[in-house]
Amino acid sequence: MSKKNTGKIGVLLVNLGTPDTPETPDVRKYLREFLLDKRVIDINPVGRFFLINGVIAPFRAPKSAVVYKQLWTERGSPLLYHGIDLKEKLQASLGDDYFVSFGMRYQKPSIKSALEELREQSVDRIIVFPLFPQYASASTGSAHDKIMEIIKDWWIIPSINFISNFCNDPGFIESFAELGRKHMQEEEYDHVMFSYHGLPERHILKGSDHGYCKLGSCCNSYNKRNQYCYRASCFETSRQLAAALGLREDQYSVAFQSRLGKDPWLQPYTDEVLKTFPEKGIKKVLAFSPAFVADCLETTIEVGEEFKEMFEHAGGEKWQLVESLNSNDTWVEAVKQIILKN
């Protein structure tokens, strides 16, 4: 081992993934890998295989490709280049005692390639930081699962620390609040919407602590029994953000987006809630997507454009998306502090 590598701490940043290009074949390839994950669609493996390969991927890929083309920039996929920017800024901030790598759960750069970078650096230990603020088996759990699957074959396995949840981390909350305040200084909004990616209700119940979860008032407080409940974490993030923004309880709503299939998903649904706002006199809405730390299809397109169109069609006047944290300096510092704590 070279002297300069001795004692280095490895940091592995992980995000969900993105197609290599917005063309239909690459989108289909991404969807297949993503949706075949047993933690994402938790049904019989044979049924899952035929559902994804025979129905969802063939029919959804062309439609998704159209949307990805709207999202794509000269630098490519925002989820990818924001992740690379975050990695580079974090590396500069942490200094030479750390080595930061970045991988995607699905597609490129892969988690395996990111882990190989750390192994080549002969790091003493690894801090795994999935960039999902609220724990879910389908996101954080899947990333941890994949990492353990890869590392189990290493002859030498260093100490590994997994960060599973940072839904109420002060730096994370302040990073989003800072962005929200800028918009609130420029415009007076009638209401704030916190929209989170949805999950099937069965995912929440499967992870419940001995039946604690009732998909209701059990999420009104955040405690040891529901600290890994995605729904409870979303409400906790919302309460903390609302407090940081000086909002009363009646000045914000929490809802869930991006549902798939016929099974019940976490409610209320964002697309249904926003349509009721104008009749209540809510004509100007500031919308956050606090489940995502980097802009992507679900933020820029779904919340930023599709929900805006729905809201205006229902009689709303202004729907403003708060951009995600991406690689802004406040967020980079927050990530650094989370790493140093771990």
Side-chain angles (χ1 to χ4, degrees), residues 182-200:
K182 291 179 182 178
H183 289 284
M184 294 170 76
Q185 289 167 1
E186 297 169 358
E187 181 83 49
E188 187 173 340
Y189 291 92
D190 302 321
H191 202 72
V192 170
M193 167 66 82
F194 298 121
S195 182
Y196 296 84
H197 199 287
L199 283 177

Side-chain angles (χ1 to χ4, degrees), residues 169-189:
D169 175 78
F172 162 67
I173 296 297
E174 179 55 29
S175 297
F176 256 124
E178 183 180 272
L179 296 175
R181 291 188 200 107
K182 291 179 182 178
H183 289 284
M184 294 170 76
Q185 289 167 1
E186 297 169 358
E187 181 83 49
E188 187 173 340
Y189 291 92

Side-chain angles (χ1 to χ4, degrees), residues 3-299:
K3 185 177 179 181
K4 70 176 183 177
N5 289 336
T6 303
K8 269 193 178 180
I9 296 173
V11 176
L12 173 58
L13 301 176
V14 181
N15 215 327
L16 194 71
T18 181
D20 293 336
T21 76
E23 300 302 323
T24 299
D26 283 332
V27 173
R28 185 180 296 115
K29 181 181 177 183
Y30 166 72
L31 288 176
R32 280 176 173 156
E33 184 181 4
F34 171 39
L35 297 174
L36 281 170
D37 186 337
K38 65 182 182 296
R39 287 179 178 266
V40 174
I41 297 184
D42 55 329
I43 62 174
N44 178 279
V46 176
R48 180 171 58 244
F49 178 85
F50 285 107
L51 175 65
I52 303 309
N53 289 291
V55 181
I56 297 180
F59 292 100
R60 189 173 178 181
K63 297 177 182 178
S64 295
V66 172
V67 182
Y68 272 112
K69 286 174 182 176
Q70 299 174 38
L71 178 71
W72 231 251
T73 73
E74 292 181 357
R75 292 188 66 190
S77 168
L79 195 69
L80 175 57
Y81 66 74
H82 286 313
I84 293 171
D85 290 347
L86 176 62
K87 178 191 77 168
E88 292 176 350
K89 286 188 173 183
L90 182 63
Q91 180 67 73
S93 183
L94 285 170
D96 294 338
D97 291 336
Y98 290 79
F99 185 87
V100 183
S101 64
F102 172 65
M104 294 287 200
R105 174 61 184 86
Y106 313 106
Q107 299 299 290
K108 302 172 185 174
S110 68
I111 287 177
K112 185 174 183 179
S113 67
L115 283 169
E116 283 301 321
E117 288 182 358
L118 297 180
R119 183 152 68 159
E120 288 171 8
Q121 290 291 316
S122 300
V123 296
D124 281 356
R125 57 193 179 94
I126 298 173
I127 298 173
V128 177
F129 191 179
L131 296 167
F132 313 116
Q134 302 83 21
Y135 178 88
S137 176
S139 54
T140 315
S142 179
H144 290 174
D145 196 353
K146 187 66 175 180
I147 289 162
M148 290 186 286
E149 175 189 313
I150 295 167
I151 287 183
K152 70 177 174 56
D153 294 326
W154 288 12
W155 189 252
I156 296 175
I157 299 177
S159 297
I160 302 174
N161 185 16
F162 291 93
I163 296 172
S164 295
N165 193 334
F166 55 97
C167 70
N168 58 2
D169 175 78
F172 162 67
I173 296 297
E174 179 55 29
S175 297
F176 256 124
E178 183 180 272
L179 296 175
R181 291 188 200 107
K182 291 179 182 178
H183 289 284
M184 294 170 76
Q185 289 167 1
E186 297 169 358
E187 181 83 49
E188 187 173 340
Y189 291 92
D190 302 321
H191 202 72
V192 170
M193 167 66 82
F194 298 121
S195 182
Y196 296 84
H197 199 287
L199 283 177
E201 290 182 351
R202 68 175 183 274
H203 281 209
I204 306 301
L205 296 174
K206 284 173 72 171
S208 175
D209 180 8
H210 297 89
Y212 179 81
C213 179
K214 305 297 181 186
L215 295 171
S217 60
C218 49
C219 293
N220 290 348
S221 66
Y222 189 63
N223 54 68
K224 288 185 177 181
R225 297 195 68 183
N226 64 9
Q227 63 180 323
Y228 291 112
C229 169
Y230 178 76
R231 184 177 186 271
S233 298
C234 292
F235 279 98
E236 172 67 2
T237 296
S238 300
R239 285 190 293 268
Q240 295 294 333
L241 260 176
L245 294 169
L247 300 175
R248 301 188 309 270
E249 191 172 339
D250 63 332
Q251 291 179 307
Y252 70 93
S253 297
V254 180
F256 301 88
Q257 65 189 76
S258 311
R259 61 191 182 277
L260 174 69
K262 296 180 180 179
D263 287 348
W265 280 47
L266 291 177
Q267 299 181 49
Y269 302 135
T270 306
D271 57 343
E272 294 181 358
V273 171
L274 65 86
K275 293 174 185 176
T276 69
F277 283 161
E279 64 187 33
K280 298 175 182 177
I282 297 173
K283 297 297 182 75
K284 296 181 180 181
V285 173
L286 186 63
F288 288 79
S289 289
F292 302 94
V293 299
D295 278 317
C296 54
L297 187 147
E298 288 83 0
T299 63

Side-chain angles (χ1 to χ4, degrees), residues 304-324:
E305 297 183 13
E306 294 176 3
F307 288 172
K308 179 177 184 291
E309 185 177 340
M310 290 180 193
F311 182 63
E312 292 176 347
H313 183 73
E317 297 174 3
K318 185 176 179 65
W319 176 276
Q320 177 63 55
L321 169 68
V322 176
E323 62 272 33
S324 201

